[in-house]
Amino acid sequence: MRSQVVLRYLPFAVLLAVAVTDLMAGRDLGFLPLLTLGPTFASVYGSVRRTAFVGVAALALCVPLAQYQGTLLTRQNNITIATVAGVTAASMIVSRLRLRRERELANVRLVAEAAQRVLLRPVPRRAADLRIALSYTSAAAEAQIGGDLYEVVTTPHGVRLLIGDVQGKGLTAVETAAWVLGAFREAAYDMSELTEVGERLEASLGRHLSAETFVTAILAEVHDEEISLLNFGHPAPLLIRGEGKIITVDPPEESLPLGLGALATDRPKPHRVAFGVGDQILLFTDGVIEARNRTGDFYPLTDRTGLLLAGEPQEALDALRADLIQHVGGPLPDDAAMLLLRRHLP
């Protein structure tokens, strides 16, 4: 907001500064060509009409200042007036092109937001005795969607959830994420066992994707006092006990990502961990733990999970996301998704 105010009034401040400098310098030094800075700066932020107004103001100042230096219609003054007029016309064209580009970008963002609402639907904030929070940051700031995916559904078999990361970027990654989410939303209701859901996802990817494409993912199912995790080569989630103890929930055996099942001899098996009242579990993609600061240090997620112990789940996760962005000091180099589950009394 402050930068917008500066840009709004910068052209007039420049014109005033040039006029004052020219008057103080006397008749021997002429600064009139610097009046072209007014319409130039106006084209950066203002409309075509505003740019033209600043150009007219520059010409209005140019004439009396030229008269002050001596004779108005000298060769040098004529060149200066023509230069101000020419720069104003060029700045109006630039302003028009910039506004057209901004409208196109706004339309792209609207389409991206609509695609995001279809592909990555808002997760429920409550499911059974769970409180759920979500954070999603896309590396493509204009697109707002990428290769990370998530879903939480309440099924006859319990609350089931998915978090994953598609290999690659761009529209191909988004298309792959759409296939995975579609298969999961169907299988989560139909399949009684979590392993069957994983097999359905593997079969769906095998039909639609090339052999070079894969998806790391975690499927989870919440039970009474426990949570089942089925890990397909994804970063292990963090379990945060009610008293603050942090446990990395590594799978018993390493497994290949989805899409590479044909290369594996054994299918991954779910493993259960205790998940009682007051406990939290944080699932995340590698864009979180691989985020680096300017000195090349990775984000210390385990050391920062203390931010999740206070406040409501969404507020706590928002604080963790803000800390992540502060660590990086700018836009994230990769998509980053975080899903936080907190168990409350029913």
Side-chain angles (χ1 to χ4, degrees), residues 225-242:
E225 303 297 328
E226 289 182 326
I227 183 170
S228 292
L229 299 169
L230 184 57
N231 195 318
F232 292 90
H234 197 78
L238 297 178
L239 182 63
I240 308 167
R241 296 299 184 192

Side-chain angles (χ1 to χ4, degrees), residues 170-221:
L171 293 178
T172 302
V174 175
E175 183 181 11
T176 303
W179 283 116
V180 175
L181 287 170
F184 173 76
R185 287 164 182 164
E186 180 180 356
Y189 287 94
D190 295 342
M191 303 292 102
S192 59
E193 298 295 332
L194 201 59
T195 52
E196 295 175 339
V197 178
E199 291 173 359
R200 177 75 70 85
L201 297 184
E202 184 69 49
S204 177
L205 290 178
R207 288 194 301 268
H208 297 105
L209 302 181
S210 63
E212 295 80 14
T213 304
F214 61 85
V215 181
T216 66
I218 291 180
L219 302 179
E221 182 178 281

Side-chain angles (χ1 to χ4, degrees), residues 64-145:
L65 289 175
Q67 182 67 39
Y68 167 75
Q69 291 180 358
T71 306
L72 174 61
L73 299 178
T74 63
R75 182 174 181 273
Q76 182 62 40
N77 289 340
N78 290 340
I79 293 176
T80 300
I81 293 173
T83 300
V84 173
V87 171
T88 299
S91 298
M92 292 171 63
I93 296 174
V94 171
S95 178
R96 181 180 180 83
L97 294 176
R98 175 184 56 79
L99 291 173
R100 180 185 298 175
R101 174 60 179 166
E102 289 178 353
R103 285 193 294 268
E104 292 175 353
L105 182 58
N107 291 333
V108 169
R109 286 177 174 171
L110 288 175
V111 172
E113 290 173 0
Q116 184 183 38
R117 287 193 294 269
V118 174
L119 180 61
L120 299 176
R121 300 179 302 192
V123 300
R125 297 306 178 186
R126 296 190 179 191
D129 58 349
L130 298 175
R131 301 296 181 269
I132 304 171
L134 170 71
S135 171
Y136 182 84
T137 306
S138 174
E142 287 82 7
Q144 299 184 354
I145 55 177

Side-chain angles (χ1 to χ4, degrees), residues 16-27 29 31-32 61 64-65 68-69:
L16 180 61
V18 171
V20 172
T21 302
D22 188 78
L23 291 174
M24 294 179 63
R27 299 182 178 181
L29 296 175
F31 293 89
L32 296 185
L61 283 174
L65 289 175
Y68 167 75
Q69 291 180 358

